[in-house]
């Protein structure tokens, strides 16, 4: 069932278009920012409000941090230990991505 005011809204929009009120708007012809897949809107809002991140995002951030740490290390033992951490994170990321592809 349509909203009871839909015909009035359509009339107002048509009148505004006829008067040229929509001409030369900034961003005309460009996609609206912040519009993702509508089915993900609730999940996106809840994760933003709860300030949580997906495991994939967290792992990517951890990988970047490990790479930065590794670039600053000169001791061979410390480098090997950090390389092991980095390899573990990359493996976990690959597993998370595969699970996401399979199960969503």
């Amino acid at each position: 069932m349509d909203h009871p005011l839909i015909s009035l809204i359509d009339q107002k929009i048509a009148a505004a278009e006829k008067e040229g009120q929509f001409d030369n708007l900034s961003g005309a012809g460009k996609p609206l920012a912040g519009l993702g897949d509508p089915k993900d809107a609730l999940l996106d809002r809840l994760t933003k409000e709860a300030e949580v991140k997906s495991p994939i995002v967290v792992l990517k951030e951890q990988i970047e941090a490990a790479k930065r740490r590794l670039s600053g290390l000169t001791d061979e033992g410390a480098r090997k230990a950090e390389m092991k951490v980095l390899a573990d994170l990359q493996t976990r990321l690959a597993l998370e991505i595969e699970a996401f592809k399979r199960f969503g």
Side-chain angles (χ1 to χ4, degrees):
M1 182 174 167
D2 286 336
H3 191 278
L5 296 176
I6 197 75
S7 62
L8 177 62
I9 293 169
D10 287 340
Q11 290 172 5
K12 294 291 185 181
I13 291 173
E17 281 180 325
K18 188 175 182 179
E19 294 172 7
Q21 293 182 15
F22 296 129
D23 296 345
N24 301 320
L25 291 175
S26 63
K30 297 177 187 172
L32 295 173
L35 292 181
D37 190 350
K39 68 180 180 184
D40 296 333
L42 177 62
L43 179 61
D44 291 344
R45 192 187 92 226
L46 291 174
T47 55
K48 189 174 185 176
E49 287 176 0
E51 296 180 359
V52 296
K53 297 177 184 176
S54 77
I56 292 174
V57 171
V58 172
L59 285 168
K60 285 182 177 182
E61 289 173 350
Q62 291 173 345
I63 287 169
E64 289 306 312
K67 286 179 179 179
R68 284 192 301 273
R69 286 191 304 270
L70 184 60
S71 69
L73 294 175
T74 55
D75 177 63
E76 189 63 30
R79 284 187 59 77
K80 283 185 179 182
E82 193 62 39
M83 288 170 64
K84 184 176 187 259
V85 169
L86 180 59
D88 178 58
L89 289 169
Q90 289 171 330
T91 301
R92 290 172 50 202
L93 176 61
L95 291 171
E96 284 291 338
I97 290 172
E98 183 62 31
F100 182 77
K101 286 179 181 177
R102 284 188 180 189
F103 309 111

XYZ file of all heavy atoms in Angstrom:
793
model
N 0.841 -1.180 0.000
C 0.000 0.000 0.000
C 0.885 1.242 0.000
O 1.828 1.357 0.765
C -0.900 -0.012 1.228
C -1.836 1.138 1.282
S -2.964 0.906 2.682
C -3.660 2.488 2.751
N 0.579 2.169 -0.866
C 1.342 3.407 -0.957
C 1.019 4.327 0.212
O -0.033 4.235 0.841
C 1.016 4.147 -2.255
C 1.654 3.483 -3.461
O 2.659 2.778 -3.279
O 1.142 3.688 -4.576
N 1.955 5.224 0.459
C 1.757 6.229 1.490
C 0.617 7.149 1.050
O 0.488 7.481 -0.131
C 3.052 7.024 1.669
C 3.029 7.890 2.875
N 2.444 9.118 2.884
C 3.521 7.692 4.115
C 2.575 9.663 4.076
N 3.235 8.814 4.839
N -0.235 7.593 1.965
C -1.375 8.432 1.574
C -0.991 9.761 0.931
O -1.779 10.354 0.198
C -2.141 8.664 2.877
C -1.351 8.062 3.964
C -0.260 7.258 3.378
N 0.211 10.232 1.168
C 0.627 11.517 0.608
C 1.459 11.381 -0.663
O 1.965 12.380 -1.181
C 1.426 12.301 1.652
C 0.665 12.714 2.916
C 1.600 13.395 3.901
C -0.497 13.623 2.564
N 1.589 10.162 -1.184
C 2.467 9.939 -2.322
C 2.071 10.771 -3.539
O 2.921 11.307 -4.238
C 2.578 8.436 -2.676
C 3.796 8.167 -3.578
C 1.348 7.924 -3.363
C 5.079 8.220 -2.854
N 0.792 10.895 -3.803
C 0.382 11.678 -4.977
C 0.705 13.161 -4.785
O 1.139 13.836 -5.727
C -1.108 11.482 -5.268
O -1.878 11.932 -4.184
N 0.540 13.678 -3.586
C 0.889 15.072 -3.307
C 2.399 15.283 -3.450
O 2.842 16.283 -4.027
C 0.421 15.475 -1.905
C 0.783 16.887 -1.457
C 0.129 17.920 -2.377
C 0.383 17.115 -0.017
N 3.164 14.346 -2.959
C 4.628 14.428 -3.069
C 5.032 14.425 -4.538
O 5.864 15.230 -4.963
C 5.281 13.267 -2.290
C 5.035 13.439 -0.782
C 6.773 13.191 -2.585
C 5.396 12.236 0.053
N 4.442 13.513 -5.316
C 4.744 13.455 -6.754
C 4.402 14.764 -7.449
O 5.145 15.232 -8.320
C 3.994 12.296 -7.411
C 4.571 10.940 -7.042
O 5.738 10.880 -6.615
O 3.834 9.935 -7.189
N 3.277 15.373 -7.071
C 2.878 16.651 -7.668
C 3.887 17.744 -7.349
O 4.253 18.546 -8.215
C 1.487 17.062 -7.181
C 0.354 16.219 -7.708
C -0.975 16.574 -7.030
O -1.058 17.509 -6.247
N -2.011 15.796 -7.348
N 4.334 17.801 -6.102
C 5.294 18.824 -5.681
C 6.637 18.641 -6.402
O 7.253 19.617 -6.833
C 5.513 18.789 -4.161
C 4.288 19.163 -3.360
C 3.976 20.626 -3.540
C 2.811 21.035 -2.650
N 2.446 22.430 -2.809
N 7.058 17.394 -6.547
C 8.319 17.129 -7.244
C 8.199 17.514 -8.711
O 9.097 18.144 -9.280
C 8.737 15.649 -7.074
C 9.148 15.388 -5.619
C 9.868 15.282 -8.030
C 9.421 13.946 -5.288
N 7.090 17.151 -9.341
C 6.873 17.496 -10.758
C 6.857 19.015 -10.951
O 7.445 19.534 -11.908
C 5.573 16.877 -11.260
N 6.201 19.739 -10.032
C 6.153 21.204 -10.138
C 7.549 21.800 -9.976
O 7.926 22.728 -10.706
C 5.198 21.769 -9.090
N 8.317 21.276 -9.042
C 9.677 21.778 -8.823
C 10.549 21.508 -10.045
O 11.357 22.362 -10.443
C 10.277 21.136 -7.576
N 10.404 20.323 -10.655
C 11.159 20.010 -11.868
C 10.791 20.966 -12.998
O 11.664 21.457 -13.713
C 10.885 18.566 -12.313
C 11.648 17.524 -11.530
C 11.339 16.114 -12.011
O 10.185 15.834 -12.416
O 12.251 15.285 -11.976
N 9.494 21.221 -13.140
C 9.011 22.102 -14.207
C 9.561 23.514 -14.039
O 9.885 24.191 -15.016
C 7.480 22.107 -14.205
C 6.872 22.822 -15.383
C 5.369 22.682 -15.359
C 4.747 23.365 -16.570
N 3.291 23.226 -16.577
N 9.688 23.969 -12.787
C 10.208 25.303 -12.498
C 11.739 25.355 -12.576
O 12.328 26.419 -12.445
C 9.761 25.746 -11.102
C 8.261 25.945 -10.980
C 7.824 26.193 -9.542
O 8.707 26.339 -8.642
O 6.608 26.216 -9.300
N 12.373 24.196 -12.758
C 13.839 24.168 -12.871
C 14.571 24.196 -11.550
O 15.760 24.509 -11.509
N 13.897 23.867 -10.462
C 14.539 23.915 -9.151
C 15.600 22.827 -8.955
O 16.403 22.910 -8.029
C 13.479 23.828 -8.052
C 12.573 25.030 -7.995
C 11.556 24.945 -6.878
O 11.668 24.130 -5.977
N 10.543 25.805 -6.943
N 15.590 21.814 -9.819
C 16.581 20.745 -9.709
C 17.727 20.922 -10.700
O 18.641 20.115 -10.743
C 15.917 19.377 -9.921
C 14.893 19.036 -8.872
C 13.624 18.622 -9.242
C 15.184 19.115 -7.525
C 12.677 18.295 -8.289
C 14.246 18.797 -6.563
C 12.981 18.388 -6.945
N 17.678 21.989 -11.493
C 18.742 22.242 -12.458
C 19.995 22.729 -11.733
O 19.925 23.479 -10.758
C 18.311 23.306 -13.479
C 17.145 22.832 -14.333
O 16.865 21.610 -14.333
O 16.508 23.679 -14.987
N 21.134 22.299 -12.216
C 22.435 22.757 -11.716
C 22.657 22.495 -10.224
O 23.302 23.291 -9.536
C 22.630 24.253 -12.006
C 22.549 24.552 -13.482
O 23.063 23.787 -14.297
N 21.880 25.635 -13.836
N 22.139 21.404 -9.744
C 22.424 21.034 -8.358
C 23.830 20.466 -8.263
O 24.295 19.775 -9.166
C 21.423 19.975 -7.862
C 19.984 20.428 -7.671
C 19.110 19.238 -7.300
C 19.895 21.494 -6.598
N 24.515 20.758 -7.168
C 25.864 20.190 -7.009
C 25.736 18.683 -6.859
O 24.854 18.177 -6.177
C 26.556 20.788 -5.785
O 25.851 20.447 -4.623
N 26.583 17.974 -7.520
C 26.558 16.513 -7.454
C 25.550 15.874 -8.383
O 25.316 14.673 -8.316
N 24.933 16.652 -9.268
C 23.933 16.094 -10.188
C 24.579 15.033 -11.066
O 25.676 15.218 -11.567
C 23.337 17.203 -11.049
N 23.921 13.916 -11.202
C 24.414 12.827 -12.031
C 25.423 11.932 -11.348
O 25.910 10.978 -11.935
N 25.751 12.228 -10.103
C 26.707 11.418 -9.358
C 25.956 10.569 -8.344
O 24.898 10.960 -7.861
C 27.713 12.316 -8.628
C 28.556 13.156 -9.559
C 29.471 14.061 -8.785
C 30.204 15.023 -9.714
N 30.955 16.023 -8.970
N 26.508 9.405 -7.985
C 25.833 8.570 -6.993
C 25.809 9.256 -5.627
O 26.699 10.038 -5.294
C 26.670 7.295 -6.945
C 27.917 7.570 -7.692
C 27.719 8.806 -8.502
N 24.778 8.986 -4.870
C 24.675 9.551 -3.530
C 25.690 8.882 -2.614
O 25.842 7.660 -2.623
C 23.265 9.353 -2.973
C 22.157 10.092 -3.707
C 20.798 9.684 -3.158
C 22.337 11.585 -3.589
N 26.373 9.682 -1.835
C 27.376 9.149 -0.913
C 26.692 8.429 0.243
O 25.613 8.797 0.684
C 28.234 10.292 -0.375
N 27.345 7.407 0.729
C 26.861 6.713 1.912
C 25.748 5.720 1.668
O 25.173 5.207 2.613
N 25.432 5.459 0.409
C 24.390 4.485 0.134
C 25.028 3.171 -0.281
O 25.552 3.044 -1.368
C 23.449 4.969 -0.976
C 22.581 6.161 -0.637
C 21.690 6.504 -1.826
C 21.722 5.903 0.574
N 24.990 2.223 0.601
C 25.492 0.897 0.268
C 24.326 0.009 -0.115
O 23.261 0.481 -0.518
N 24.528 -1.249 0.016
C 23.473 -2.210 -0.257
C 22.427 -2.084 0.844
O 22.747 -2.213 2.027
C 24.065 -3.620 -0.289
C 23.102 -4.655 -0.797
O 21.910 -4.336 -0.958
O 23.539 -5.791 -1.033
N 21.159 -1.827 0.510
C 20.140 -1.630 1.530
C 19.998 -2.801 2.501
O 19.703 -2.600 3.669
C 18.842 -1.445 0.736
C 19.276 -1.042 -0.617
C 20.622 -1.651 -0.839
N 20.245 -4.010 2.017
C 20.108 -5.153 2.918
C 21.186 -5.156 3.999
O 21.031 -5.797 5.023
C 20.122 -6.464 2.139
C 21.437 -6.796 1.497
C 21.368 -8.097 0.748
C 22.727 -8.392 0.119
N 22.718 -9.574 -0.679
N 22.294 -4.426 3.767
C 23.361 -4.345 4.752
C 23.234 -3.127 5.665
O 24.049 -2.938 6.557
C 24.722 -4.305 4.054
C 25.011 -5.582 3.294
O 24.480 -6.638 3.681
O 25.771 -5.519 2.313
N 22.236 -2.303 5.442
C 22.118 -1.040 6.181
C 22.008 -1.261 7.688
O 22.662 -0.570 8.471
C 20.930 -0.239 5.669
N 21.194 -2.207 8.096
C 21.021 -2.462 9.531
C 22.324 -2.953 10.141
O 22.750 -2.465 11.194
C 19.900 -3.478 9.774
C 19.680 -3.880 11.228
C 19.285 -2.669 12.068
C 18.631 -4.961 11.337
N 22.969 -3.899 9.490
C 24.240 -4.419 9.996
C 25.283 -3.314 10.062
O 26.005 -3.196 11.059
C 24.726 -5.569 9.115
C 26.053 -6.193 9.514
C 25.969 -6.795 10.914
C 26.461 -7.244 8.507
N 25.356 -2.494 9.026
C 26.310 -1.385 9.017
C 26.053 -0.426 10.175
O 26.983 0.011 10.854
C 26.246 -0.618 7.698
C 26.772 -1.425 6.526
O 27.459 -2.437 6.752
O 26.481 -1.032 5.379
N 24.792 -0.092 10.398
C 24.451 0.835 11.479
C 24.800 0.246 12.844
O 25.377 0.918 13.701
C 22.977 1.206 11.430
C 22.667 2.391 12.352
C 21.198 2.690 12.474
N 20.714 1.938 13.613
C 19.602 1.221 13.629
N 18.831 1.147 12.594
N 19.242 0.558 14.706
N 24.465 -1.020 13.047
C 24.727 -1.653 14.335
C 26.226 -1.759 14.622
O 26.665 -1.497 15.741
C 24.080 -3.041 14.397
C 22.561 -3.061 14.440
C 22.046 -4.484 14.347
C 22.051 -2.388 15.708
N 27.008 -2.129 13.605
C 28.447 -2.239 13.826
C 29.071 -0.870 14.070
O 29.995 -0.748 14.870
C 29.149 -2.932 12.641
O 28.847 -2.245 11.434
C 28.746 -4.374 12.529
N 28.562 0.152 13.409
C 29.084 1.506 13.620
C 28.738 2.001 15.024
O 29.577 2.558 15.720
C 28.523 2.449 12.562
C 29.157 3.805 12.574
C 28.676 4.648 11.407
C 29.395 5.964 11.359
N 29.021 6.752 10.194
N 27.489 1.773 15.444
C 27.068 2.220 16.777
C 27.823 1.478 17.871
O 28.156 2.045 18.900
C 25.570 2.027 16.945
C 24.735 3.020 16.167
C 23.243 2.750 16.271
O 22.828 1.797 16.951
O 22.470 3.505 15.654
N 28.072 0.190 17.656
C 28.768 -0.617 18.661
C 30.283 -0.473 18.555
O 31.021 -1.009 19.376
C 28.379 -2.085 18.507
N 30.726 0.264 17.527
C 32.149 0.482 17.283
C 32.900 -0.840 17.172
O 33.932 -1.054 17.808
C 32.755 1.379 18.359
C 32.168 2.783 18.358
C 32.752 3.690 19.421
O 33.614 3.248 20.200
O 32.329 4.847 19.467
N 32.360 -1.758 16.371
C 33.015 -3.038 16.114
C 33.410 -3.109 14.650
O 32.863 -2.401 13.808
C 32.099 -4.235 16.462
C 31.796 -4.267 17.942
C 30.824 -4.212 15.660
N 34.380 -3.973 14.368
C 34.853 -4.160 13.003
C 34.789 -5.643 12.667
O 34.883 -6.492 13.549
C 36.298 -3.679 12.869
C 36.480 -2.209 13.133
C 37.944 -1.831 13.054
C 38.155 -0.377 13.415
N 39.571 -0.030 13.434
N 34.689 -5.928 11.393
C 34.689 -7.321 10.972
C 36.071 -7.911 11.198
O 37.075 -7.186 11.215
C 34.296 -7.437 9.499
O 35.374 -7.068 8.680
N 36.150 -9.229 11.361
C 37.461 -9.867 11.547
C 38.411 -9.581 10.382
O 39.619 -9.443 10.588
C 37.131 -11.354 11.628
C 35.710 -11.413 12.061
C 35.058 -10.189 11.488
N 37.881 -9.458 9.184
C 38.728 -9.186 8.020
C 39.375 -7.810 8.143
O 40.580 -7.664 7.903
C 37.916 -9.313 6.718
C 37.513 -10.780 6.506
C 38.695 -8.782 5.523
C 36.587 -11.019 5.346
N 38.615 -6.824 8.547
C 39.163 -5.465 8.709
C 40.211 -5.452 9.819
O 41.286 -4.869 9.667
C 38.032 -4.457 8.998
C 38.598 -3.098 9.373
C 37.102 -4.346 7.803
N 39.913 -6.117 10.930
C 40.854 -6.156 12.057
C 42.155 -6.828 11.632
O 43.252 -6.326 11.921
C 40.222 -6.886 13.262
C 41.238 -7.117 14.358
C 39.037 -6.098 13.796
N 42.048 -7.955 10.921
C 43.258 -8.660 10.479
C 44.069 -7.815 9.500
O 45.304 -7.798 9.575
C 42.888 -10.007 9.854
C 42.490 -11.084 10.866
C 41.861 -12.275 10.161
C 43.699 -11.516 11.676
N 43.404 -7.110 8.593
C 44.138 -6.249 7.663
C 44.892 -5.152 8.409
O 46.029 -4.825 8.068
C 43.187 -5.639 6.631
C 42.749 -6.630 5.573
C 41.843 -5.971 4.552
C 41.462 -6.949 3.456
N 40.619 -6.342 2.425
N 44.270 -4.589 9.424
C 44.936 -3.562 10.225
C 46.135 -4.157 10.965
O 47.199 -3.535 11.055
C 43.957 -2.943 11.218
C 42.913 -2.069 10.565
C 41.843 -1.586 11.532
O 41.778 -2.074 12.684
O 41.064 -0.705 11.136
N 45.967 -5.370 11.514
C 47.060 -6.028 12.226
C 48.214 -6.359 11.280
O 49.385 -6.247 11.654
C 46.552 -7.287 12.925
C 45.632 -6.996 14.086
C 45.000 -8.248 14.665
O 45.018 -9.321 14.063
N 44.433 -8.117 15.861
N 47.891 -6.756 10.047
C 48.929 -7.054 9.055
C 49.724 -5.798 8.727
O 50.958 -5.826 8.653
C 48.303 -7.681 7.782
C 47.867 -9.115 8.088
C 49.269 -7.634 6.608
C 47.011 -9.753 7.012
N 49.024 -4.685 8.524
C 49.735 -3.428 8.238
C 50.634 -3.027 9.400
O 51.762 -2.565 9.193
C 48.737 -2.315 7.909
C 48.063 -2.489 6.567
C 49.043 -2.643 5.418
O 50.000 -1.838 5.330
O 48.877 -3.573 4.616
N 50.164 -3.215 10.624
C 50.973 -2.886 11.802
C 52.203 -3.801 11.874
O 53.312 -3.343 12.176
C 50.137 -3.009 13.076
N 52.022 -5.079 11.581
C 53.151 -6.017 11.590
C 54.171 -5.651 10.521
O 55.387 -5.740 10.753
C 52.646 -7.446 11.402
N 53.705 -5.230 9.363
C 54.625 -4.812 8.293
C 55.427 -3.584 8.711
O 56.627 -3.482 8.427
C 53.849 -4.518 7.008
C 53.352 -5.760 6.300
C 52.570 -5.381 5.046
C 52.070 -6.597 4.301
N 51.285 -6.234 3.095
N 54.759 -2.652 9.382
C 55.474 -1.451 9.857
C 56.527 -1.834 10.899
O 57.658 -1.320 10.870
C 54.490 -0.441 10.433
C 53.703 0.323 9.389
C 52.960 1.512 9.988
N 52.019 1.119 11.036
C 50.754 0.740 10.816
N 50.278 0.679 9.590
N 49.972 0.419 11.829
N 56.145 -2.726 11.817
C 57.115 -3.166 12.836
C 58.297 -3.868 12.169
O 59.451 -3.631 12.519
C 56.456 -4.100 13.841
C 55.526 -3.418 14.826
C 55.112 -4.349 15.957
N 54.500 -5.582 15.500
C 53.187 -5.752 15.282
N 52.356 -4.740 15.493
N 52.710 -6.909 14.882
N 58.000 -4.730 11.201
C 59.037 -5.489 10.518
C 60.020 -4.575 9.799
O 61.235 -4.830 9.806
C 58.401 -6.468 9.532
C 59.323 -7.420 8.789
C 60.082 -8.303 9.767
C 58.539 -8.272 7.812
N 59.516 -3.524 9.195
C 60.402 -2.612 8.456
C 61.392 -1.890 9.372
O 62.448 -1.456 8.928
C 59.588 -1.590 7.665
O 58.938 -0.688 8.538
N 61.063 -1.786 10.651
C 61.949 -1.092 11.582
C 62.892 -2.005 12.351
O 63.722 -1.530 13.119
N 62.781 -3.309 12.136
C 63.620 -4.246 12.880
C 64.921 -4.538 12.137
O 64.920 -4.715 10.917
C 62.870 -5.554 13.116
C 61.638 -5.466 14.022
C 60.916 -6.803 14.063
C 62.032 -5.041 15.419
N 66.019 -4.598 12.894
C 67.309 -4.938 12.297
C 67.857 -6.250 12.854
O 68.607 -6.939 12.175
C 68.327 -3.815 12.548
O 68.414 -3.559 13.954
C 67.922 -2.541 11.818
N 67.479 -6.605 14.059
C 67.939 -7.851 14.672
C 67.309 -9.044 13.942
O 66.091 -9.093 13.747
C 67.555 -7.874 16.157
C 67.949 -9.170 16.826
O 69.168 -9.446 16.882
O 67.045 -9.910 17.261
N 68.155 -9.996 13.547
C 67.683 -11.144 12.756
C 66.648 -11.981 13.519
O 65.639 -12.404 12.948
C 68.867 -12.028 12.351
C 68.536 -13.110 11.365
C 68.062 -12.584 10.017
O 68.477 -11.485 9.611
O 67.266 -13.277 9.359
N 66.852 -12.201 14.786
C 65.903 -12.980 15.587
C 64.555 -12.282 15.704
O 63.498 -12.922 15.577
N 64.592 -10.986 15.928
C 63.353 -10.216 16.040
C 62.626 -10.178 14.697
O 61.393 -10.259 14.644
C 63.654 -8.800 16.530
N 63.397 -10.065 13.619
C 62.788 -10.065 12.273
C 62.087 -11.385 11.992
O 60.975 -11.407 11.471
C 63.838 -9.788 11.195
C 64.260 -8.324 11.116
C 65.171 -8.040 9.938
N 64.603 -8.351 8.639
C 63.700 -7.605 7.995
N 63.250 -6.503 8.551
N 63.262 -7.964 6.804
N 62.747 -12.503 12.340
C 62.141 -13.825 12.116
C 60.867 -13.985 12.932
O 59.873 -14.516 12.446
C 63.135 -14.936 12.449
C 64.172 -15.149 11.388
C 65.055 -16.330 11.699
C 66.085 -16.532 10.609
N 66.931 -17.698 10.849
N 60.895 -13.524 14.176
C 59.711 -13.623 15.025
C 58.566 -12.790 14.454
O 57.411 -13.250 14.417
C 60.049 -13.174 16.450
N 58.877 -11.597 13.982
C 57.833 -10.736 13.408
C 57.329 -11.291 12.084
O 56.138 -11.183 11.767
C 58.348 -9.310 13.231
C 57.266 -8.306 12.945
C 56.241 -8.169 14.059
O 56.621 -8.204 15.242
O 55.041 -8.042 13.750
N 58.214 -11.907 11.307
C 57.798 -12.534 10.053
C 56.846 -13.711 10.329
O 55.900 -13.931 9.575
C 59.017 -12.997 9.253
C 59.791 -11.828 8.651
S 61.376 -12.266 7.928
C 60.894 -13.317 6.600
N 57.090 -14.416 11.422
C 56.193 -15.514 11.801
C 54.820 -14.959 12.172
O 53.782 -15.499 11.771
C 56.793 -16.294 12.967
C 55.999 -17.507 13.366
C 56.708 -18.291 14.461
C 55.984 -19.581 14.710
N 55.146 -19.594 15.860
N 54.808 -13.860 12.921
C 53.542 -13.209 13.286
C 52.808 -12.762 12.023
O 51.603 -12.985 11.866
C 53.798 -12.004 14.224
C 52.556 -11.154 14.391
C 54.308 -12.484 15.574
N 53.533 -12.143 11.099
C 52.940 -11.663 9.855
C 52.374 -12.816 9.032
O 51.252 -12.726 8.515
C 53.979 -10.879 9.043
C 53.524 -10.293 7.715
C 52.358 -9.340 7.908
C 54.687 -9.601 7.029
N 53.107 -13.900 8.924
C 52.633 -15.060 8.166
C 51.370 -15.643 8.804
O 50.427 -16.028 8.101
C 53.723 -16.122 8.083
N 51.352 -15.691 10.126
C 50.170 -16.194 10.832
C 48.957 -15.305 10.557
O 47.854 -15.796 10.270
C 50.446 -16.268 12.337
C 49.245 -16.745 13.117
O 48.747 -17.860 12.837
O 48.771 -15.996 14.004
N 49.141 -13.996 10.614
C 48.044 -13.065 10.346
C 47.539 -13.187 8.911
O 46.334 -13.165 8.664
C 48.499 -11.623 10.614
C 48.709 -11.239 12.074
C 49.401 -9.887 12.182
C 47.401 -11.239 12.832
N 48.457 -13.335 7.965
C 48.062 -13.473 6.568
C 47.290 -14.775 6.329
O 46.326 -14.795 5.560
C 49.291 -13.392 5.665
C 49.866 -11.991 5.616
C 51.205 -11.912 4.907
O 51.985 -12.860 4.905
N 51.479 -10.765 4.309
N 47.692 -15.834 7.008
C 46.969 -17.112 6.901
C 45.575 -16.977 7.484
O 44.584 -17.435 6.886
C 47.740 -18.225 7.620
O 49.038 -18.346 7.038
C 47.008 -19.553 7.531
N 45.482 -16.348 8.646
C 44.167 -16.151 9.276
C 43.266 -15.293 8.394
O 42.064 -15.557 8.275
C 44.342 -15.533 10.658
C 44.952 -16.520 11.649
C 45.318 -15.919 12.983
N 44.250 -15.138 13.577
C 44.448 -14.203 14.495
N 45.660 -13.935 14.931
N 43.439 -13.530 14.991
N 43.844 -14.267 7.749
C 43.068 -13.423 6.841
C 42.549 -14.237 5.663
O 41.380 -14.114 5.286
C 43.908 -12.244 6.347
C 43.239 -11.329 5.321
C 41.988 -10.680 5.905
C 44.213 -10.284 4.813
N 43.403 -15.061 5.081
C 42.978 -15.892 3.951
C 41.831 -16.818 4.362
O 40.871 -16.999 3.600
C 44.161 -16.694 3.420
N 41.910 -17.369 5.553
C 40.838 -18.246 6.046
C 39.541 -17.470 6.269
O 38.461 -17.962 5.943
C 41.273 -18.945 7.340
C 42.384 -19.987 7.195
C 42.876 -20.430 8.560
C 41.906 -21.168 6.373
N 39.650 -16.282 6.827
C 38.456 -15.460 7.055
C 37.795 -15.075 5.728
O 36.574 -15.090 5.614
C 38.805 -14.188 7.840
C 39.031 -14.405 9.309
C 37.770 -14.760 10.066
O 36.641 -14.463 9.607
O 37.905 -15.351 11.148
N 38.607 -14.703 4.755
C 38.065 -14.322 3.449
C 37.368 -15.515 2.801
O 36.278 -15.383 2.245
C 39.169 -13.743 2.542
C 39.610 -12.369 3.070
C 38.705 -13.639 1.093
C 40.819 -11.790 2.380
N 37.985 -16.678 2.878
C 37.373 -17.881 2.310
C 36.060 -18.213 3.012
O 35.062 -18.538 2.363
C 38.337 -19.068 2.407
C 37.829 -20.333 1.800
C 37.564 -20.235 0.298
O 38.255 -19.465 -0.381
O 36.672 -20.944 -0.187
N 36.039 -18.116 4.333
C 34.805 -18.381 5.080
C 33.721 -17.374 4.712
O 32.545 -17.734 4.561
C 35.083 -18.338 6.583
N 34.118 -16.114 4.544
C 33.143 -15.085 4.166
C 32.568 -15.367 2.789
O 31.373 -15.211 2.556
C 33.798 -13.705 4.201
C 32.848 -12.595 3.881
C 31.942 -12.154 4.826
C 32.851 -12.007 2.632
C 31.052 -11.130 4.538
C 31.974 -10.993 2.329
C 31.056 -10.548 3.275
N 33.423 -15.772 1.850
C 32.944 -16.089 0.492
C 31.961 -17.260 0.515
O 31.001 -17.266 -0.219
C 34.120 -16.421 -0.418
C 34.938 -15.219 -0.829
C 36.096 -15.634 -1.713
C 36.949 -14.454 -2.108
N 38.117 -14.878 -2.904
N 32.241 -18.246 1.359
C 31.387 -19.428 1.399
C 30.097 -19.210 2.175
O 29.033 -19.669 1.781
C 32.131 -20.599 2.038
C 33.137 -21.229 1.135
C 33.684 -22.465 1.756
N 34.658 -23.065 0.876
C 35.185 -24.244 1.069
N 34.837 -24.942 2.134
N 36.064 -24.713 0.235
N 30.214 -18.552 3.315
C 29.082 -18.491 4.237
C 28.502 -17.102 4.446
O 27.489 -16.939 5.114
C 29.472 -19.106 5.582
C 30.097 -20.463 5.454
C 31.435 -20.654 5.746
C 29.344 -21.535 5.030
C 32.015 -21.911 5.627
C 29.914 -22.796 4.911
C 31.258 -22.980 5.201
N 29.182 -16.081 3.948
C 28.685 -14.719 4.075
C 28.958 -14.042 5.355
O 29.453 -14.389 6.300
